[in-house]
Amino acid sequence: MDKYIFVEENGFYQINCSAAVWATDQIHHEYKKTQSALCDIDWIAESDDYIYLIEYKNATIETAVNPEAFQLKSDKLRHKIVSKFYDSLHYLQIERKNKPVKFVFIVEALKAGETERKFFRNKVAQKLPFELQKSKPGKIIDDFVVVSIAEWNAHEEYSKFPLIMLK
């Protein structure tokens, strides 16, 4: 298998991070083997300028369990995504990665249209450290976006790491 090509847990899609300076899909494995209570994002990819924390959820695949329950208006889901961001920062610190971070949530679900994704993005962004870093010299996060697979693959920057259907 090529370096930095990762298959998502259901085996329907792969992300090709071959263009990355460094990438991993091992954060879940690392946290689990240490019995950590930390939440993890699915993939990390590093470019010359940024670290991308990439979370992927797809409730439209044929084996999705209870896709109707996947709601972007859910407080529980928003809290989980926020936790994944903060908890993944520990992994970046251990890996000595200190470039600006872009957090991307790729989502496919029945009720995850542009309006719902924007609403979700705005609600989550309120819990991320954008305001904190305005008054401090350091920067924790550069951007947070919520996109569909098509938007990810069409985006000038993110398309360096295409998400491709396998099945």
PDB file of all heavy atoms in Angstrom, residues 53-84:
ATOM      1  N   LEU A  53      -6.432  18.697  10.553  1.00  0.00           N
ATOM      2  CA  LEU A  53      -7.131  17.701  11.360  1.00  0.00           C
ATOM      3  C   LEU A  53      -8.413  17.401  10.602  1.00  0.00           C
ATOM      4  O   LEU A  53      -9.225  18.299  10.374  1.00  0.00           O
ATOM      5  CB  LEU A  53      -7.450  18.241  12.752  1.00  0.00           C
ATOM      6  CG  LEU A  53      -6.250  18.605  13.636  1.00  0.00           C
ATOM      7  CD1 LEU A  53      -6.744  19.134  14.984  1.00  0.00           C
ATOM      8  CD2 LEU A  53      -5.337  17.419  13.834  1.00  0.00           C
ATOM      9  N   ILE A  54      -8.581  16.149  10.203  1.00  0.00           N
ATOM     10  CA  ILE A  54      -9.692  15.785   9.321  1.00  0.00           C
ATOM     11  C   ILE A  54     -10.591  14.761  10.002  1.00  0.00           C
ATOM     12  O   ILE A  54     -10.149  13.651  10.320  1.00  0.00           O
ATOM     13  CB  ILE A  54      -9.160  15.213   7.987  1.00  0.00           C
ATOM     14  CG1 ILE A  54      -8.151  16.179   7.355  1.00  0.00           C
ATOM     15  CG2 ILE A  54     -10.322  14.907   7.039  1.00  0.00           C
ATOM     16  CD1 ILE A  54      -7.260  15.537   6.300  1.00  0.00           C
ATOM     17  N   GLU A  55     -11.827  15.141  10.207  1.00  0.00           N
ATOM     18  CA  GLU A  55     -12.834  14.233  10.745  1.00  0.00           C
ATOM     19  C   GLU A  55     -13.808  13.908   9.626  1.00  0.00           C
ATOM     20  O   GLU A  55     -14.224  14.789   8.870  1.00  0.00           O
ATOM     21  CB  GLU A  55     -13.575  14.880  11.919  1.00  0.00           C
ATOM     22  CG  GLU A  55     -14.654  14.024  12.523  1.00  0.00           C
ATOM     23  CD  GLU A  55     -14.173  12.731  13.175  1.00  0.00           C
ATOM     24  OE1 GLU A  55     -12.961  12.557  13.413  1.00  0.00           O
ATOM     25  OE2 GLU A  55     -15.032  11.878  13.449  1.00  0.00           O
ATOM     26  N   TYR A  56     -14.174  12.627   9.509  1.00  0.00           N
ATOM     27  CA  TYR A  56     -15.027  12.158   8.415  1.00  0.00           C
ATOM     28  C   TYR A  56     -16.196  11.375   8.997  1.00  0.00           C
ATOM     29  O   TYR A  56     -16.004  10.459   9.813  1.00  0.00           O
ATOM     30  CB  TYR A  56     -14.180  11.275   7.495  1.00  0.00           C
ATOM     31  CG  TYR A  56     -14.959  10.406   6.544  1.00  0.00           C
ATOM     32  CD1 TYR A  56     -15.429  10.900   5.338  1.00  0.00           C
ATOM     33  CD2 TYR A  56     -15.221   9.069   6.843  1.00  0.00           C
ATOM     34  CE1 TYR A  56     -16.132  10.100   4.454  1.00  0.00           C
ATOM     35  CE2 TYR A  56     -15.924   8.258   5.966  1.00  0.00           C
ATOM     36  CZ  TYR A  56     -16.373   8.775   4.784  1.00  0.00           C
ATOM     37  OH  TYR A  56     -17.075   7.982   3.916  1.00  0.00           O
ATOM     38  N   LYS A  57     -17.397  11.732   8.590  1.00  0.00           N
ATOM     39  CA  LYS A  57     -18.611  10.992   8.967  1.00  0.00           C
ATOM     40  C   LYS A  57     -19.463  10.830   7.721  1.00  0.00           C
ATOM     41  O   LYS A  57     -19.707  11.791   6.995  1.00  0.00           O
ATOM     42  CB  LYS A  57     -19.427  11.741  10.022  1.00  0.00           C
ATOM     43  CG  LYS A  57     -18.738  11.917  11.344  1.00  0.00           C
ATOM     44  CD  LYS A  57     -18.762  10.643  12.135  1.00  0.00           C
ATOM     45  CE  LYS A  57     -18.151  10.854  13.502  1.00  0.00           C
ATOM     46  NZ  LYS A  57     -17.280   9.789  13.904  1.00  0.00           N
ATOM     47  N   ASN A  58     -19.915   9.599   7.493  1.00  0.00           N
ATOM     48  CA  ASN A  58     -20.740   9.338   6.316  1.00  0.00           C
ATOM     49  C   ASN A  58     -21.899   8.437   6.706  1.00  0.00           C
ATOM     50  O   ASN A  58     -21.725   7.243   6.929  1.00  0.00           O
ATOM     51  CB  ASN A  58     -19.909   8.690   5.210  1.00  0.00           C
ATOM     52  CG  ASN A  58     -20.621   8.685   3.884  1.00  0.00           C
ATOM     53  OD1 ASN A  58     -21.847   8.758   3.831  1.00  0.00           O
ATOM     54  ND2 ASN A  58     -19.865   8.590   2.817  1.00  0.00           N
ATOM     55  N   ALA A  59     -23.081   9.034   6.788  1.00  0.00           N
ATOM     56  CA  ALA A  59     -24.287   8.280   7.130  1.00  0.00           C
ATOM     57  C   ALA A  59     -25.045   7.849   5.882  1.00  0.00           C
ATOM     58  O   ALA A  59     -26.144   7.313   5.979  1.00  0.00           O
ATOM     59  CB  ALA A  59     -25.189   9.126   8.026  1.00  0.00           C
ATOM     60  N   THR A  60     -24.467   8.058   4.694  1.00  0.00           N
ATOM     61  CA  THR A  60     -25.169   7.707   3.456  1.00  0.00           C
ATOM     62  C   THR A  60     -24.700   6.388   2.849  1.00  0.00           C
ATOM     63  O   THR A  60     -25.279   5.944   1.867  1.00  0.00           O
ATOM     64  CB  THR A  60     -25.015   8.820   2.398  1.00  0.00           C
ATOM     65  OG1 THR A  60     -23.635   8.942   2.036  1.00  0.00           O
ATOM     66  CG2 THR A  60     -25.542  10.147   2.919  1.00  0.00           C
ATOM     67  N   ILE A  61     -23.690   5.772   3.433  1.00  0.00           N
ATOM     68  CA  ILE A  61     -23.236   4.486   2.891  1.00  0.00           C
ATOM     69  C   ILE A  61     -24.233   3.397   3.263  1.00  0.00           C
ATOM     70  O   ILE A  61     -24.962   3.522   4.254  1.00  0.00           O
ATOM     71  CB  ILE A  61     -21.808   4.129   3.379  1.00  0.00           C
ATOM     72  CG1 ILE A  61     -21.752   4.070   4.894  1.00  0.00           C
ATOM     73  CG2 ILE A  61     -20.796   5.109   2.826  1.00  0.00           C
ATOM     74  CD1 ILE A  61     -20.425   3.602   5.446  1.00  0.00           C
ATOM     75  N   GLU A  62     -24.265   2.346   2.486  1.00  0.00           N
ATOM     76  CA  GLU A  62     -25.319   1.339   2.657  1.00  0.00           C
ATOM     77  C   GLU A  62     -25.276   0.609   3.992  1.00  0.00           C
ATOM     78  O   GLU A  62     -26.295   0.118   4.450  1.00  0.00           O
ATOM     79  CB  GLU A  62     -25.267   0.318   1.505  1.00  0.00           C
ATOM     80  CG  GLU A  62     -23.980  -0.476   1.436  1.00  0.00           C
ATOM     81  CD  GLU A  62     -23.882  -1.327   0.186  1.00  0.00           C
ATOM     82  OE1 GLU A  62     -24.119  -0.802  -0.898  1.00  0.00           O
ATOM     83  OE2 GLU A  62     -23.554  -2.519   0.321  1.00  0.00           O
ATOM     84  N   THR A  63     -24.132   0.552   4.650  1.00  0.00           N
ATOM     85  CA  THR A  63     -24.048  -0.135   5.938  1.00  0.00           C
ATOM     86  C   THR A  63     -24.117   0.819   7.124  1.00  0.00           C
ATOM     87  O   THR A  63     -23.870   0.417   8.259  1.00  0.00           O
ATOM     88  CB  THR A  63     -22.742  -0.950   6.029  1.00  0.00           C
ATOM     89  OG1 THR A  63     -21.641  -0.065   5.840  1.00  0.00           O
ATOM     90  CG2 THR A  63     -22.718  -2.072   5.027  1.00  0.00           C
ATOM     91  N   ALA A  64     -24.475   2.072   6.883  1.00  0.00           N
ATOM     92  CA  ALA A  64     -24.570   3.045   7.975  1.00  0.00           C
ATOM     93  C   ALA A  64     -25.624   2.582   8.978  1.00  0.00           C
ATOM     94  O   ALA A  64     -26.731   2.206   8.602  1.00  0.00           O
ATOM     95  CB  ALA A  64     -24.928   4.418   7.429  1.00  0.00           C
ATOM     96  N   VAL A  65     -25.247   2.599  10.232  1.00  0.00           N
ATOM     97  CA  VAL A  65     -26.159   2.203  11.291  1.00  0.00           C
ATOM     98  C   VAL A  65     -26.973   3.426  11.701  1.00  0.00           C
ATOM     99  O   VAL A  65     -26.416   4.438  12.099  1.00  0.00           O
ATOM    100  CB  VAL A  65     -25.372   1.643  12.497  1.00  0.00           C
ATOM    101  CG1 VAL A  65     -26.315   1.292  13.637  1.00  0.00           C
ATOM    102  CG2 VAL A  65     -24.545   0.441  12.082  1.00  0.00           C
ATOM    103  N   ASN A  66     -28.291   3.339  11.575  1.00  0.00           N
ATOM    104  CA  ASN A  66     -29.222   4.376  11.979  1.00  0.00           C
ATOM    105  C   ASN A  66     -28.868   5.756  11.403  1.00  0.00           C
ATOM    106  O   ASN A  66     -28.652   6.711  12.154  1.00  0.00           O
ATOM    107  CB  ASN A  66     -29.299   4.424  13.517  1.00  0.00           C
ATOM    108  CG  ASN A  66     -30.516   5.168  14.002  1.00  0.00           C
ATOM    109  OD1 ASN A  66     -31.430   5.471  13.238  1.00  0.00           O
ATOM    110  ND2 ASN A  66     -30.522   5.482  15.281  1.00  0.00           N
ATOM    111  N   PRO A  67     -28.829   5.890  10.080  1.00  0.00           N
ATOM    112  CA  PRO A  67     -28.446   7.176   9.484  1.00  0.00           C
ATOM    113  C   PRO A  67     -29.402   8.312   9.820  1.00  0.00           C
ATOM    114  O   PRO A  67     -28.992   9.470   9.830  1.00  0.00           O
ATOM    115  CB  PRO A  67     -28.451   6.881   7.983  1.00  0.00           C
ATOM    116  CG  PRO A  67     -29.282   5.675   7.817  1.00  0.00           C
ATOM    117  CD  PRO A  67     -29.151   4.886   9.091  1.00  0.00           C
ATOM    118  N   GLU A  68     -30.661   7.997  10.143  1.00  0.00           N
ATOM    119  CA  GLU A  68     -31.617   9.043  10.496  1.00  0.00           C
ATOM    120  C   GLU A  68     -31.235   9.739  11.800  1.00  0.00           C
ATOM    121  O   GLU A  68     -31.619  10.882  12.049  1.00  0.00           O
ATOM    122  CB  GLU A  68     -33.045   8.470  10.649  1.00  0.00           C
ATOM    123  CG  GLU A  68     -33.569   7.761   9.425  1.00  0.00           C
ATOM    124  CD  GLU A  68     -33.081   6.309   9.318  1.00  0.00           C
ATOM    125  OE1 GLU A  68     -32.813   5.658  10.340  1.00  0.00           O
ATOM    126  OE2 GLU A  68     -32.948   5.847   8.176  1.00  0.00           O
ATOM    127  N   ALA A  69     -30.485   9.060  12.644  1.00  0.00           N
ATOM    128  CA  ALA A  69     -30.102   9.622  13.942  1.00  0.00           C
ATOM    129  C   ALA A  69     -28.955  10.618  13.824  1.00  0.00           C
ATOM    130  O   ALA A  69     -28.662  11.340  14.771  1.00  0.00           O
ATOM    131  CB  ALA A  69     -29.706   8.504  14.900  1.00  0.00           C
ATOM    132  N   PHE A  70     -28.314  10.670  12.682  1.00  0.00           N
ATOM    133  CA  PHE A  70     -27.176  11.562  12.500  1.00  0.00           C
ATOM    134  C   PHE A  70     -27.692  12.965  12.162  1.00  0.00           C
ATOM    135  O   PHE A  70     -28.069  13.248  11.044  1.00  0.00           O
ATOM    136  CB  PHE A  70     -26.281  11.033  11.386  1.00  0.00           C
ATOM    137  CG  PHE A  70     -24.968  11.751  11.298  1.00  0.00           C
ATOM    138  CD1 PHE A  70     -23.906  11.369  12.083  1.00  0.00           C
ATOM    139  CD2 PHE A  70     -24.812  12.831  10.455  1.00  0.00           C
ATOM    140  CE1 PHE A  70     -22.707  12.036  12.016  1.00  0.00           C
ATOM    141  CE2 PHE A  70     -23.614  13.510  10.373  1.00  0.00           C
ATOM    142  CZ  PHE A  70     -22.561  13.112  11.162  1.00  0.00           C
ATOM    143  N   GLN A  71     -27.706  13.832  13.145  1.00  0.00           N
ATOM    144  CA  GLN A  71     -28.275  15.166  12.988  1.00  0.00           C
ATOM    145  C   GLN A  71     -27.229  16.236  13.294  1.00  0.00           C
ATOM    146  O   GLN A  71     -26.651  16.244  14.385  1.00  0.00           O
ATOM    147  CB  GLN A  71     -29.466  15.344  13.936  1.00  0.00           C
ATOM    148  CG  GLN A  71     -30.601  14.380  13.695  1.00  0.00           C
ATOM    149  CD  GLN A  71     -31.333  14.666  12.406  1.00  0.00           C
ATOM    150  OE1 GLN A  71     -31.457  15.806  11.987  1.00  0.00           O
ATOM    151  NE2 GLN A  71     -31.814  13.629  11.761  1.00  0.00           N
ATOM    152  N   LEU A  72     -27.016  17.152  12.360  1.00  0.00           N
ATOM    153  CA  LEU A  72     -26.060  18.235  12.585  1.00  0.00           C
ATOM    154  C   LEU A  72     -26.566  19.232  13.633  1.00  0.00           C
ATOM    155  O   LEU A  72     -25.789  20.022  14.144  1.00  0.00           O
ATOM    156  CB  LEU A  72     -25.747  18.964  11.280  1.00  0.00           C
ATOM    157  CG  LEU A  72     -24.943  18.167  10.259  1.00  0.00           C
ATOM    158  CD1 LEU A  72     -24.670  19.003   9.017  1.00  0.00           C
ATOM    159  CD2 LEU A  72     -23.641  17.662  10.845  1.00  0.00           C
ATOM    160  N   LYS A  73     -27.842  19.176  13.972  1.00  0.00           N
ATOM    161  CA  LYS A  73     -28.378  20.068  15.006  1.00  0.00           C
ATOM    162  C   LYS A  73     -28.208  19.481  16.407  1.00  0.00           C
ATOM    163  O   LYS A  73     -28.567  20.109  17.388  1.00  0.00           O
ATOM    164  CB  LYS A  73     -29.845  20.382  14.733  1.00  0.00           C
ATOM    165  CG  LYS A  73     -30.021  21.228  13.491  1.00  0.00           C
ATOM    166  CD  LYS A  73     -31.435  21.673  13.290  1.00  0.00           C
ATOM    167  CE  LYS A  73     -31.503  22.566  12.070  1.00  0.00           C
ATOM    168  NZ  LYS A  73     -32.829  23.093  11.826  1.00  0.00           N
ATOM    169  N   SER A  74     -27.614  18.314  16.500  1.00  0.00           N
ATOM    170  CA  SER A  74     -27.445  17.626  17.773  1.00  0.00           C
ATOM    171  C   SER A  74     -26.339  18.263  18.621  1.00  0.00           C
ATOM    172  O   SER A  74     -25.198  18.393  18.175  1.00  0.00           O
ATOM    173  CB  SER A  74     -27.107  16.160  17.512  1.00  0.00           C
ATOM    174  OG  SER A  74     -26.537  15.556  18.642  1.00  0.00           O
ATOM    175  N   ASP A  75     -26.699  18.626  19.854  1.00  0.00           N
ATOM    176  CA  ASP A  75     -25.688  19.142  20.787  1.00  0.00           C
ATOM    177  C   ASP A  75     -24.624  18.087  21.068  1.00  0.00           C
ATOM    178  O   ASP A  75     -23.453  18.418  21.235  1.00  0.00           O
ATOM    179  CB  ASP A  75     -26.338  19.568  22.106  1.00  0.00           C
ATOM    180  CG  ASP A  75     -27.161  20.835  21.972  1.00  0.00           C
ATOM    181  OD1 ASP A  75     -26.894  21.637  21.045  1.00  0.00           O
ATOM    182  OD2 ASP A  75     -28.072  21.040  22.802  1.00  0.00           O
ATOM    183  N   LYS A  76     -25.031  16.854  21.145  1.00  0.00           N
ATOM    184  CA  LYS A  76     -24.098  15.758  21.429  1.00  0.00           C
ATOM    185  C   LYS A  76     -23.039  15.651  20.321  1.00  0.00           C
ATOM    186  O   LYS A  76     -21.843  15.507  20.601  1.00  0.00           O
ATOM    187  CB  LYS A  76     -24.868  14.442  21.564  1.00  0.00           C
ATOM    188  CG  LYS A  76     -24.008  13.257  21.926  1.00  0.00           C
ATOM    189  CD  LYS A  76     -24.848  12.003  22.102  1.00  0.00           C
ATOM    190  CE  LYS A  76     -23.974  10.813  22.427  1.00  0.00           C
ATOM    191  NZ  LYS A  76     -24.760   9.585  22.584  1.00  0.00           N
ATOM    192  N   LEU A  77     -23.464  15.738  19.078  1.00  0.00           N
ATOM    193  CA  LEU A  77     -22.512  15.667  17.962  1.00  0.00           C
ATOM    194  C   LEU A  77     -21.575  16.872  17.982  1.00  0.00           C
ATOM    195  O   LEU A  77     -20.359  16.728  17.798  1.00  0.00           O
ATOM    196  CB  LEU A  77     -23.246  15.587  16.622  1.00  0.00           C
ATOM    197  CG  LEU A  77     -22.342  15.571  15.385  1.00  0.00           C
ATOM    198  CD1 LEU A  77     -21.437  14.338  15.380  1.00  0.00           C
ATOM    199  CD2 LEU A  77     -23.175  15.621  14.119  1.00  0.00           C
ATOM    200  N   ARG A  78     -22.113  18.046  18.217  1.00  0.00           N
ATOM    201  CA  ARG A  78     -21.256  19.245  18.284  1.00  0.00           C
ATOM    202  C   ARG A  78     -20.219  19.112  19.387  1.00  0.00           C
ATOM    203  O   ARG A  78     -19.050  19.429  19.197  1.00  0.00           O
ATOM    204  CB  ARG A  78     -22.110  20.507  18.480  1.00  0.00           C
ATOM    205  CG  ARG A  78     -22.872  20.882  17.230  1.00  0.00           C
ATOM    206  CD  ARG A  78     -23.440  22.289  17.316  1.00  0.00           C
ATOM    207  NE  ARG A  78     -24.385  22.504  18.393  1.00  0.00           N
ATOM    208  CZ  ARG A  78     -25.694  22.392  18.273  1.00  0.00           C
ATOM    209  NH1 ARG A  78     -26.236  22.070  17.120  1.00  0.00           N
ATOM    210  NH2 ARG A  78     -26.484  22.622  19.299  1.00  0.00           N
ATOM    211  N   HIS A  79     -20.641  18.649  20.553  1.00  0.00           N
ATOM    212  CA  HIS A  79     -19.714  18.464  21.666  1.00  0.00           C
ATOM    213  C   HIS A  79     -18.621  17.453  21.305  1.00  0.00           C
ATOM    214  O   HIS A  79     -17.443  17.666  21.620  1.00  0.00           O
ATOM    215  CB  HIS A  79     -20.470  18.007  22.922  1.00  0.00           C
ATOM    216  CG  HIS A  79     -19.579  17.735  24.082  1.00  0.00           C
ATOM    217  ND1 HIS A  79     -19.005  18.732  24.829  1.00  0.00           N
ATOM    218  CD2 HIS A  79     -19.135  16.560  24.595  1.00  0.00           C
ATOM    219  CE1 HIS A  79     -18.247  18.182  25.773  1.00  0.00           C
ATOM    220  NE2 HIS A  79     -18.313  16.875  25.639  1.00  0.00           N
ATOM    221  N   LYS A  80     -19.004  16.385  20.636  1.00  0.00           N
ATOM    222  CA  LYS A  80     -18.045  15.347  20.250  1.00  0.00           C
ATOM    223  C   LYS A  80     -16.997  15.910  19.266  1.00  0.00           C
ATOM    224  O   LYS A  80     -15.801  15.633  19.395  1.00  0.00           O
ATOM    225  CB  LYS A  80     -18.784  14.168  19.614  1.00  0.00           C
ATOM    226  CG  LYS A  80     -17.924  12.974  19.325  1.00  0.00           C
ATOM    227  CD  LYS A  80     -17.577  12.267  20.601  1.00  0.00           C
ATOM    228  CE  LYS A  80     -17.008  10.902  20.325  1.00  0.00           C
ATOM    229  NZ  LYS A  80     -16.581  10.230  21.534  1.00  0.00           N
ATOM    230  N   ILE A  81     -17.431  16.699  18.312  1.00  0.00           N
ATOM    231  CA  ILE A  81     -16.510  17.278  17.328  1.00  0.00           C
ATOM    232  C   ILE A  81     -15.557  18.264  18.008  1.00  0.00           C
ATOM    233  O   ILE A  81     -14.358  18.279  17.727  1.00  0.00           O
ATOM    234  CB  ILE A  81     -17.291  17.943  16.172  1.00  0.00           C
ATOM    235  CG1 ILE A  81     -18.098  16.892  15.399  1.00  0.00           C
ATOM    236  CG2 ILE A  81     -16.351  18.712  15.244  1.00  0.00           C
ATOM    237  CD1 ILE A  81     -17.289  15.776  14.776  1.00  0.00           C
ATOM    238  N   VAL A  82     -16.066  19.063  18.917  1.00  0.00           N
ATOM    239  CA  VAL A  82     -15.214  19.993  19.666  1.00  0.00           C
ATOM    240  C   VAL A  82     -14.178  19.204  20.468  1.00  0.00           C
ATOM    241  O   VAL A  82     -12.984  19.544  20.468  1.00  0.00           O
ATOM    242  CB  VAL A  82     -16.059  20.906  20.592  1.00  0.00           C
ATOM    243  CG1 VAL A  82     -15.187  21.672  21.563  1.00  0.00           C
ATOM    244  CG2 VAL A  82     -16.910  21.854  19.759  1.00  0.00           C
ATOM    245  N   SER A  83     -14.611  18.140  21.140  1.00  0.00           N
ATOM    246  CA  SER A  83     -13.685  17.309  21.920  1.00  0.00           C
ATOM    247  C   SER A  83     -12.614  16.692  21.028  1.00  0.00           C
ATOM    248  O   SER A  83     -11.440  16.620  21.415  1.00  0.00           O
ATOM    249  CB  SER A  83     -14.442  16.184  22.628  1.00  0.00           C
ATOM    250  OG  SER A  83     -15.309  16.712  23.596  1.00  0.00           O
ATOM    251  N   LYS A  84     -12.994  16.255  19.851  1.00  0.00           N
ATOM    252  CA  LYS A  84     -12.021  15.661  18.933  1.00  0.00           C
ATOM    253  C   LYS A  84     -10.927  16.668  18.567  1.00  0.00           C
ATOM    254  O   LYS A  84      -9.765  16.311  18.472  1.00  0.00           O
ATOM    255  CB  LYS A  84     -12.717  15.134  17.675  1.00  0.00           C
ATOM    256  CG  LYS A  84     -13.489  13.849  17.904  1.00  0.00           C
ATOM    257  CD  LYS A  84     -14.258  13.442  16.667  1.00  0.00           C
ATOM    258  CE  LYS A  84     -14.979  12.141  16.869  1.00  0.00           C
ATOM    259  NZ  LYS A  84     -14.172  10.980  16.562  1.00  0.00           N
TER     260      LYS A  84
END
